[in-house]
Structures are given as structure tokens and as C-alpha cells.
Amino acid sequence: MSGNMTKNTIVLGLGNPLMGDEAIGVKLIELLQSASGDFPEVDFIDAGTGGMNILHLLANRNKAIIIDCALMNQPPGTIKRFTPDEVQSVKNLAHLSLHEVDVLKVIELARSLGECPEQITFFAIQPESIEQRMSLSESLAGRLADYVQTIKKDLP
Amino acid sequence: MSKNIDINVHHLTRVEGHGNIRVNVTNGKIEMCQWQVPEAPRFFEAMVRGRRWDDIQTIVSRICGICSITHSLASTKAVEDALGIEVSEQADKLRILMHYSEQLQSHVLHVGYLVAPDLFRAPSVVPLIPKATDAVKTIIRAHRVANTWSDLLAGRTTHPTTLIPGGLTQIPKPDQLRDLQDTLKATIPDLVTICEVVLSVADKMPAFERQTEYVSLKQDNPPTYTFYHGGITSTDCNGQPPVPVQQWESVANEYVHPQSTAKWTKWHRDSYAVGALARFNNNAELLSPLGKKVAEMFGLEKGNCSPFMNNVAQLVEAAHVVETSIHMIDELLTTGLKEEKVKVTPKAGRGSGCVEAPRGILFHTYEFDKNGECTAANICIPTNQNHANIQKDFQKFVPEFLDQGQDELRLGLEMLVRSYDPCISCSTHMLNVEFVK
């Protein structure tokens, strides 16, 4: 309907710029978008905390890269690359509100519907602090260029 | 009757708060019955202090990923009220059209992904797929339409980019609006199907009512089933004129309750409810024909006091916004769309904006200095306005359903909370994982 041409690869940045290191996915998408001319086959999307909307963003793509903040029991600032099958969620959802969303559950739903990209890669960054603040902690802010270089290696 | 019951739906992670359900019954005596909200206090008001008038929307749109258009609209209206900015009829209509997309998006998501699994007795939507494949696919199709609709009007699906005090930074092209109109027409059969599916399992909703005050917007000139304009009314107002939105603090009467870190509210009674059923109870006669038809399908009439019928009212509104938008697009195309320039001169002032989020009435107030920098802010979200009412519902529900046993009572209470479509733990969605390979 919107007339947008869907590209084969999507890079999604998830997170909230009002919540400290939770902003990392959105911040990295901003940086990657500024270099989008080098990657004509890639859509870079700031998906914020859109939750279930990710389902629709994944549909009709071959490859998805999801950048998000993640509690992984790693030192703050650590970036890990993994597929959805290499992890299990230990997120505790009450299922009382639409607003609680686990991206891994959305991927499970997309797979059940036959709408999931064949290839999904996460780049997850361990936060130092999640609190109401409009800036990243030093552990993450000082490594933005490294993160961008790491993610770019996966882009077609 | 069950002699002993211990329900403790307790979810508290490191950052996010959730609602907790606590019920304790010993030897048939209810010793505890609480809806607890231990959510981390939100300091979004502090974040906008010192920011310019044209930065506010960008910040507050991030408060919530589901209601981001609504927060953006409430803040934009408040800024316009404070700075005395007029908005053209065209921008006004396009904003309402944008707002309707969020109503459809959220209502379909809520009924389809959270309420339907309850009614089909499935733990979530994923196991529902093999049981009701076509129904789930229909819900997802309708949700996808709402997303592409908000993409067109708001610039993207969440956290809008097109809103600015005074108007919009971009407007759709006529052929894009025509395409949207065709898509909305084609969505009506899907909405009817979703209603029929929910109706087929509606008997699984607990039969529960409690006399309640319902608060929503009301627009008299012209009379409209409003989500955007008008003043504040309630089912206890007995025909009194709506309260101006600038006086919302005298409606919400926020107070601190030891059960919750979120503030509670009350107006004419100890608690009130907001949301789709509140809007319906105050404005039902102004629904579109299809909205009225959906209400009739479910036997929903004005004055209904069952919280579970809020989800039916959401279906009614989903039909209403789609049908109404089809007509609004005709009006926009007939008048013709034109690019509009927005010019704003900052000045000192105080203003309020009030719009209906899918889950109920939302208030924003800001004060600005002469340079247009924000000096004070106050935001009151709909879910906080429902907390006290959920507690009152619990106090009637538990004794009435005690003899159903622990598991059914727990499910009933969870369904009751879900029926309000609460916005809790919406500001962070990060992963929490352990490695298995």
C-alpha cells in the first residue's frame, strides 16, 4: 500500500533513547544510516520499542540483523553476535500487557507463520546501566565505532 | 468453596516493573486481595525540562512504543495550546487520520494477541496458530494494514517523525490516500471476521459487572465519537458540559497509594475507568454504522459495566475508525491537499493537550519561558487512571469467583487486568538471554 520497495536485508535497531544504554540499538542504527549509501540492498530501521511491529518488518526479507541491548552476563560494553537458536530467553513476561515484548518470541511467531527471514543475526550489547537518562554509559559510548565496524562486516 | 488460595503472579525484573496479583485466602477468609504496581517511577517529565518547544514531541514519543502517536499528539497539542498556535483544518484531519491508525493497530493487537488466547484457552498466540490458523492470519493482516497506515501518515510505524507544533512536516500524496482508502475498504471483511471469531468464544469471558464511573473525551461541536478534540466528561456528569482539558488535574486528582509506585486517580467516586468502554459509554450514539453493528453483534449497550466488555468496545472502535477514515479520505481528496508552511514564534505560556490513547484518556501539560524552553511538565497516562479501578474490581471479583478454585480464579484475575489493556513496562524491551550453544 505504501509503495515502499522492501529490500532483501533489514537491519533493525531496537531500544529506547530515554533509557540510558537501552538506546544502543537506536544509536547504532543512526550511525549505520549515515553510511547507508554504501549498502544499497539494506533497509536500516529504527524500530524503537515497537514490539510486535517487528513481525511485519521481518516479513518478506531474506536476511535480518537485529541490534539490541541484552543482559548476557558479560562485562558491560561486550558485543556478542549470535543467532536466535544459539540462545534461550530467560526474560520473565507477565503476559498482562501488550507492552511487554520478547523479540525472540516475535521471531518464534514469525517462524510459525512462515514469514521469518532464513537468516537472522543478533548483535547484542551488554549494558552498563539502564536508567532514565538520554545518554549512553562510558563503557558503550567509547566503543561505538568498533560496534559499527563489527556490524558492517555482516552487511551485503 | 475453596478453603485456601494463594495467588502470587509476581514479576519484577531488574529494571522493568510489572503488575503483581496477590490473593491470599485462608479457611475461606480473604486475607489479601491486591493489584500491585511496583513499577520504577518514571521521570520523563524531568527529561523535557530545558528542552525547546519543538523537541518535546521527539522525546515523549519514546515513552511508549504502542502509544507513541498518541503521546506525540498530546504533547504537540499541549505545545500549541501554550504557544497559541493555530492548526489548519487539513493538518487537523490528517492528524486524526494518523491517530486512527494507532487505534486500529493497538486494538487489533490487543484483542488478537492477548485476549483471544485467553478465550481459546491458549497460553499465548503462538500455540493458537495450529488451533485457529485462519483467525490468527486475519488478525495479523489487519495489524499489518494499521502499520502501513501509520507509516504513511506518521512517517514510520512507531515514534512518528511527521508531527510538528503547527502542522505536519510532510503530507501524503493523493494517490497514496486513494491506495490507503482501497486497503481500508478491503479490511472491513477481515474486521467482521475477527468480530465473528471473538463472538464465537465470547462466552468464555467471566460474567462480571461492577458499577463504575467511566471517563473520556466528549466533543459536542460538531458531535463526534472523539479521540482527539473536546473536553473531559464521565458517566457521572449527568449532562454537565465537558470539563476543559486545561483543568484535567481537577478530574484526575492524582494521589499516592502504598500498593503502587504509580499514582492513582479518582473523580466522583473512589476510582474511575478509562479506555474503549469509557468512550463507548459516553459517546456510543455517535459511532459509525459498522461500529454500531459490531456493538449489536455482542449485545453491547451504553451503561455496560463489565470490564471484560472493554475488549468488545475495542472491536467496535476498530470498525468505527476504519469506516470513518474511508469517509475522511473522501473529504480530504475532494478539498484537495496542499503543502502548508508552519511558522511559530516562541513565547512564554502554559498549555495542555488531551487525546484518547487506545487504552484511555491521556493528559500532557507544559510550561515554557519566553524563549520557548520547557520549564515544567506533567503527564498523566491512562493506565495509572485505571489502577484504582482494577483494585476495586478485584475486591468484588475475588469473593464472587472464589469457589472456582485457585487456577480459574487466577486466570480470571489475569484476564481482568488484561481487559484494561494496561501499559506497564513499556519503556524497555531489551533481551535477557543465556547461551545454549
Side-chain angles (χ1 to χ4, degrees):
Chain A
M1 181 185 73
S2 60
N4 293 338
M5 294 294 289
T6 301
K7 294 174 181 172
N8 278 336
T9 299
I10 185 167
V11 183
L12 290 173
L14 309 184
N16 192 339
L18 307 186
M19 296 297 294
D21 287 345
E22 160 85 10
I24 187 68
V26 170
K27 183 68 192 166
L28 287 170
I29 277 291
E30 273 174 29
L31 295 171
L32 288 162
Q33 267 170 342
S34 64
S36 61
D38 298 337
F39 305 99
E41 300 306 315
V42 181
D43 277 331
F44 297 93
I45 307 284
D46 165 4
T49 50
M52 200 62 84
N53 296 338
I54 295 162
L55 181 74
H56 307 300
L57 292 166
L58 294 176
N60 305 312
R61 314 275 186 172
N62 294 330
K63 178 173 177 174
I65 291 170
I66 300 174
I67 310 168
D68 200 0
C69 176
L71 299 177
M72 303 177 286
N73 206 20
Q74 300 286 320
T78 304
I79 184 166
K80 299 278 278 183
R81 179 188 184 282
F82 54 82
T83 67
D85 299 318
E86 289 173 321
V87 292
Q88 67 180 16
S89 179
V90 289
K91 198 166 177 174
N92 191 8
L93 294 186
H95 294 291
L96 292 178
S97 163
L98 270 187
H99 300 255
E100 314 161 279
V101 169
D102 184 338
V103 181
L104 290 164
K105 296 279 180 204
V106 178
I107 291 169
E108 188 186 344
L109 178 60
R111 282 179 171 165
S112 305
L113 292 164
E115 292 193 343
C116 197
E118 280 177 30
Q119 198 184 339
I120 296 185
T121 307
F122 277 94
F123 284 97
I125 291 119
Q126 176 81 32
E128 179 180 316
S129 70
I130 305 288
E131 59 191 339
Q132 291 179 1
R133 192 187 68 237
M134 289 180 69
S135 60
L136 296 170
S137 66
E138 285 183 15
S139 306
L140 276 64
R143 297 188 56 185
L144 288 174
D146 291 345
Y147 299 148
V148 168
Q149 285 312 311
T150 304
I151 295 163
K152 274 185 176 175
K153 286 179 195 158
D154 259 58
L155 299 180
Chain B
M1 178 185 280
S2 303
K3 293 276 188 200
N4 297 300
I5 283 179
D6 184 19
I7 295 174
N8 185 4
V9 182
H10 193 92
H11 294 271
L12 184 63
T13 57
R14 197 167 67 88
V15 179
E16 301 146 278
H18 295 275
N20 297 334
I21 298 172
R22 292 296 314 274
V23 174
N24 191 278
V25 179
T26 304
N27 294 323
K29 186 175 172 230
I30 299 168
E31 295 185 327
M32 176 183 273
C33 166
Q34 286 193 348
W35 164 240
Q36 303 170 334
V37 188
E39 183 161 43
R42 300 178 181 189
F43 298 109
F44 301 124
E45 286 106 331
M47 287 183 175
V48 296
R49 268 183 238 135
R51 298 277 172 168
R52 278 168 48 96
W53 60 276
D54 52 355
D55 272 348
I56 307 289
Q57 181 273 126
T58 315
I59 297 167
V60 301
S61 83
R62 299 282 181 170
I63 290 175
C64 173
I66 308 269
C67 321
S68 62
I69 291 176
T70 304
H71 274 289
S72 293
L73 287 168
S75 70
T76 304
K77 287 186 73 179
V79 171
E80 287 162 352
D81 188 39
L83 272 58
I85 302 168
E86 296 288 328
V87 176
S88 74
E89 192 179 334
Q90 173 182 290
D92 200 63
K93 273 195 177 147
L94 288 169
R95 286 178 180 186
I96 291 170
L97 201 56
M98 179 197 302
H99 196 200
Y100 283 168
S101 73
E102 187 162 88
Q103 305 294 337
L104 179 66
Q105 199 177 38
S106 182
H107 284 348
V108 166
L109 192 64
H110 186 244
V111 175
Y113 296 177
L114 267 190
V115 176
D118 276 338
L119 301 178
F120 282 97
R121 295 293 190 259
S124 76
V125 73
V126 175
L128 194 58
I129 295 170
K131 277 172 103 172
T133 310
D134 289 346
V136 173
K137 287 192 168 174
T138 306
I139 287 160
I140 286 167
R141 202 159 51 233
H143 186 232
R144 192 159 295 169
V145 164
N147 277 22
T148 40
W149 179 3
S150 53
D151 274 349
L152 177 64
L153 273 299
R156 61 183 174 202
T157 308
T158 31
H159 314 306
T161 56
T162 60
L163 267 173
I164 185 168
L168 295 160
T169 56
Q170 72 181 55
I171 60 170
K173 296 179 173 63
D175 60 336
Q176 289 176 312
L177 280 181
R178 273 184 214 103
D179 285 352
L180 171 61
Q181 192 182 44
D182 289 344
T183 306
L184 295 181
K185 285 177 182 170
T187 300
I188 285 180
D190 277 351
L191 290 177
V192 172
T193 300
I194 292 168
C195 292
E196 286 167 349
V197 169
V198 174
L199 183 60
S200 73
V201 285
D203 61 331
K204 301 292 191 300
M205 289 183 197
F208 173 77
E209 282 197 341
R210 186 179 65 81
Q211 287 302 310
T212 297
E213 178 178 12
Y214 289 97
V215 175
S216 75
L217 277 178
K218 183 175 180 63
Q219 181 183 339
D220 291 329
N221 188 22
T224 304
Y225 191 99
T226 182
F227 296 83
Y228 189 72
H229 286 304
I232 309 158
T233 194
S234 97
T235 45
D236 283 5
C237 280
N238 302 317
Q240 294 291 310
V243 175
V245 298
Q246 288 79 4
Q247 295 168 26
W248 68 261
E249 283 148 324
S250 70
V251 169
N253 298 298
E254 290 179 287
Y255 65 99
V256 175
H257 193 282
Q259 256 169 265
S260 166
T261 50
K263 285 180 192 163
W264 287 15
T265 59
K266 58 181 176 183
W267 194 6
H268 297 98
R269 308 186 192 196
D270 288 344
S271 69
Y272 65 80
V274 300
L277 185 59
R279 292 186 289 263
F280 179 92
N281 276 334
N282 285 312
N283 300 305
E285 65 280 5
L286 299 167
L287 283 162
S288 75
L290 188 62
K292 286 180 179 164
K293 193 175 152 194
V294 173
E296 278 170 26
M297 276 173 74
F298 287 88
L300 176 62
E301 293 177 352
K302 258 182 122 166
N304 188 291
C305 284
S306 168
F308 297 98
M309 290 305 271
N310 187 52
N311 303 133
V312 170
Q314 289 178 322
L315 289 173
V316 168
E317 290 190 340
H320 171 84
V321 296
V322 168
E323 194 171 43
T324 305
S325 297
I326 291 168
H327 296 301
M328 281 179 67
I329 292 171
D330 273 337
E331 290 168 17
L332 282 160
L333 290 172
T334 302
T335 309
L337 292 159
K338 58 178 187 298
E339 294 289 340
E340 295 175 328
K341 288 261 186 286
V342 174
K343 188 168 184 302
V344 175
T345 308
K347 63 169 190 170
R350 182 180 202 272
S352 296
C354 167
V355 293
E356 289 279 349
R359 47 208 43 75
I361 198 162
L362 166 71
F363 306 109
H364 281 225
T365 292
Y366 304 99
E367 289 177 26
F368 296 95
D369 64 16
K370 63 180 174 21
N371 300 315
E373 283 186 5
C374 182
T375 55
N378 194 8
I379 296 172
C380 180
I381 64 167
T383 293
N384 285 3
Q385 297 172 70
N386 277 330
H387 286 321
N389 211 62
I390 294 173
Q391 175 62 36
K392 297 287 171 196
D393 282 353
F394 270 30
Q395 288 164 2
K396 183 164 189 280
F397 190 93
V398 169
E400 285 183 17
F401 288 81
L402 201 54
D403 59 357
Q404 297 202 347
Q406 173 145 331
D407 291 345
E408 278 298 305
L409 181 61
R410 173 187 161 139
L411 176 64
L413 290 169
E414 287 181 351
M415 287 172 70
L416 178 60
V417 174
R418 279 192 278 273
S419 74
Y420 281 86
D421 191 4
C423 169
I424 42 183
S425 66
C426 61
S427 59
T428 62
H429 284 176
M430 66 186 165
L431 288 162
N432 189 357
V433 297
E434 59 187 23
F435 292 91
V436 294
K437 285 184 183 173

